[in-house]
Amino acid sequence: METLSVDYLVVGGGIAGFQAILSLLPHGTAMLVSKGPLSSGSSYFAQGGLALPWGFTEDDIESHVQDTIRAGAGLCDPVAVRLLIEGAEEAFEGLLRYGVPFDRDPRGHLRTTREAAHSRSRIVHAGGDRTGALILKGLAEAAFRQPHFRFLSPYQLYQIRMDENGDAKGAYFLGERDSDLLEIRARAVVLATGGAGSLFLRTTNPRFQRGDGVSIAFRAGCEIERMAYYQFHPTVLDLPGTPPFLLTEAMRGEGAHLLDKKGERFLYRYHPDGELAPRDVVARALWIELSKNPGQEISLSVNHLPNGFVRNRFPQVYGHLKELGIDLETTPVPIRPAAHFQMGGIRTDMTGKTGVRGLWAIGEVASTRVHGANRLASNSLLEALVMGRRLVQSVLEESSRHMSGGTSGQEARKLSRMVLPEFSGEESWASLKTVLWEKAGIIRTLKGGKKGLEWVEDRLRAGRSVPVHGSQFAYANGLLVAKLIFQDILTAPVVGAHYMVFGPEADQIDGGCP
Ligand code: SIN
């Protein structure tokens, strides 16, 4: 087994991970370990933008705080929300220093847009709809310029390395070959591994976002909470034979319409803000429409917008559809919701500190309670950036107070064999994704939640000792995340993105989206 040592270990190559690296590098050596290339995580695909209390006055901050709390359906922590929004200006200035090319008008003023449930136009964007990729590029380039930075990929997180007191002192990783085990000793470990959307049948997330950070933190003793609150994005391309593809909410912010089969803008029947209603409301409205009229098509239309506008403002979306033979400016496209964002996760405070000493979690993998039961659009990139900065003080204090005694830690379990559930490759993944989609989808029932839990527990119980296998291990992690989701579904308050139907009609329900 190879062993490396570093002061600060960050796991996850997205915006949260790189922001954390840049915050920690002035204080020691730092290493970022990623499961794949930077283009394989969710950050790279983030289209909409970065929500800011634009103007940054007290009034702008207050309005952003109130919009976040309203969208969160009663479950936001207001103190955490305020800390998040107050951190926006500094985070944004950092991005300008890293040279992130935010879109500007011909006079050089930043362009802003509005997205659902925002009362003002406050979302800044880059490259039109390539905001995530361009922010990530700016941060990554800045990190790679630093002498004390090291990047390792592809390595799959396997286990947190604990000392005899139960403190985190690094982590173990599986390399490309199942027999490769890498030990990294560190004074502080930061998990920025993202969400678990790819455990659902339909998702906007890239393929490997399967919740491994949550399952590994759970095994290390972290509290996991609010896993029932999974956000479904309403406007995701639904064409037979092509993978789901996000059609950013910013398109609705710029005037796109959602149409039913009669060509009517049906959303005003569900919410006074129509297309700009909160995401959970719009996703549920689509579910109801599609369930009432099986086979009907709901479409997104921009036909009424000026010629050339969409092509310039949303080049990524426009180009993707063009490759599929569709001219978005003239042709409405079919949409159906898909799993998008994990609001719960590893419980942390607003410095990213988990309940395990030496271990921090930030970004989508963490539950800071800022998003409540339904995240406000474009607050996720903001959270990744702000938390990637806020953790520094607590990492420095804790690692000097509790961890000055070196980095001795327990050895990894012998790796030649592990107890893992039965696994038949894509078939096993497909069954798990179907169960989550149908029983933990947009609409849930008690019966569905119980059945889902039983299904997952049966598979976990049937585990056997087998030679170590990275894919099978990932599947075991996926099952554990599903278990945590179903357990929470059966007990969590029924609000926002966790919407339950009770009574006789519940028996008929397929909770995904027909
Ligand atoms: C989108 O562009 O619609 C997604 C942005 C977000 O998840 O906030």
Side-chain angles (χ1 to χ4, degrees), residues 428-447:
S428 297
W429 283 117
S431 315
L432 172 57
K433 290 174 184 194
T434 304
V435 168
L436 273 167
W437 180 248
E438 290 179 354
K439 314 258 180 277
I442 297 164
I443 307 281
R444 287 90 183 262
T445 65
L446 274 180
K447 197 165 148 190

Side-chain angles (χ1 to χ4, degrees), residues 51-63:
L52 296 175
W54 185 239
F56 302 115
T57 65
E58 262 313 304
D59 176 56
D60 297 318
I61 289 173
E62 185 58 30
S63 141

Side-chain angles (χ1 to χ4, degrees), residues 19-34:
Q19 179 63 79
I21 280 286
L22 287 168
S23 309
L24 293 167
L25 268 169
H27 309 283
T29 55
M31 189 181 288
L32 190 145
V33 182
S34 170

Side-chain angles (χ1 to χ4, degrees), residues 47-48 115 231 233 246-250 279 340 375-380:
Q47 296 177 8
E115 286 187 55
Q231 183 167 71
H233 198 295
L246 180 70
L247 304 174
T248 173
E249 194 161 271
R279 224 172 250 181
H340 183 60
R375 174 173 63 76
L376 184 69
S378 289
N379 264 357
S380 51

Side-chain angles (χ1 to χ4, degrees), residues 90-106:
E90 197 182 88
F92 179 58
E93 279 169 2
L95 294 182
L96 295 178
R97 278 196 303 277
Y98 297 132
V100 178
F102 286 102
D103 295 332
R104 293 173 185 272
D105 68 18

